[in-house]
Amino acid sequence: HALLEMPTGTGKTACLLALVTAFQHAHPEAGKLIYCTRTVPEMEKCLAELKRLRKYRDEVRGANAPKAPFLALCLSSRRNLCVLDEVVNRTDRESVDAECRKRTASWVREARAQTGSGPCCSFHDTWAALGTDAQIPDGVYDAEDLRRLGRRTGWCPYFVARHAIQHANVVVY
């Protein structure tokens, strides 16, 4: 565990990410880094810093250097990750959450399977059909990257992120 307190702009995030990810690279059995932030912009800034760090490391190591598997992603709300227009266009977080649950809860999906009708989310249904086989490629994923991945694959970014934390090296929340 670590708590860093230093003035703004002194490189706390870069130092911590460089240290921990280098240790993870040298010791693949090491656990994951859970990086907590207060706001979504802080989360995005941390992931942008991690992208820069990974790019720099790849440049320094060279194109032919072996690359260890690495996955980093953000955990955010349904409102920040949803790609279904009917849900994400709701006015507030609570209504987005409620509308998502109306479409994705297990009892709703079971009722829809029995009756053949009811609200659904095609992104969640596509992801759920794959089960544990739904794996995302290595990389660093901020909220926009997860939404792009969701649109491209037809998978729900919110549930993909929650599933992927099992395999992630770094989780930014």
Side-chain angles (χ1 to χ4, degrees):
H1 302 302
L3 174 65
L4 301 176
E5 186 175 3
M6 295 166 45
T8 301
T10 55
K12 297 178 293 294
T13 300
C15 288
L16 177 71
L17 293 174
L19 172 71
V20 172
T21 58
F23 184 81
Q24 289 174 326
H25 183 75
H27 303 278
E29 74 282 0
K32 66 182 84 241
L33 169 63
I34 308 294
Y35 190 104
C36 300
T37 63
R38 290 181 313 119
T39 66
V40 172
E42 287 175 358
M43 180 174 51
E44 298 291 329
K45 186 176 176 185
C46 175
L47 288 160
E49 190 70 41
L50 187 54
K51 286 179 183 182
R52 281 191 295 278
L53 174 64
R54 300 297 298 174
K55 182 179 177 195
Y56 174 77
R57 253 193 212 144
D58 290 345
E59 289 171 0
V60 169
R61 287 186 182 145
N64 297 328
K67 293 183 180 164
F70 185 82
L71 177 61
L73 53 90
C74 70
L75 283 183
S76 194
S77 67
R78 288 172 170 92
R79 175 125 177 110
N80 294 331
L81 294 177
C82 184
V83 291
L84 189 65
D85 290 336
E86 306 91 89
V87 175
V88 77
N89 289 333
R90 301 283 178 164
T91 56
D92 58 49
R93 185 180 56 93
E94 289 80 18
S95 62
V96 169
D97 288 350
E99 189 63 31
C100 176
R101 284 189 197 97
K102 284 182 197 173
R103 296 163 182 270
T104 62
S106 59
W107 61 89
V108 172
R109 289 182 286 122
E110 288 170 10
R112 191 173 64 239
Q114 291 175 357
T115 64
S117 66
C120 73
C121 172
S122 60
F123 292 97
H124 180 272
D125 293 349
T126 302
W127 171 80
L130 292 173
T132 57
D133 291 335
Q135 294 183 9
I136 64 175
D138 286 350
V140 178
Y141 295 86
D142 60 21
E144 182 55 37
D145 296 328
L146 287 169
R147 286 190 298 268
R148 258 193 304 272
L149 176 74
R151 287 184 196 102
R152 190 177 77 244
T153 60
W155 300 348
C156 172
Y158 177 79
F159 287 99
V160 166
R162 267 131 191 84
H163 171 73
I165 62 172
Q166 299 172 50
H167 311 288
N169 303 86
V170 178
V171 177
V172 181
Y173 180 72

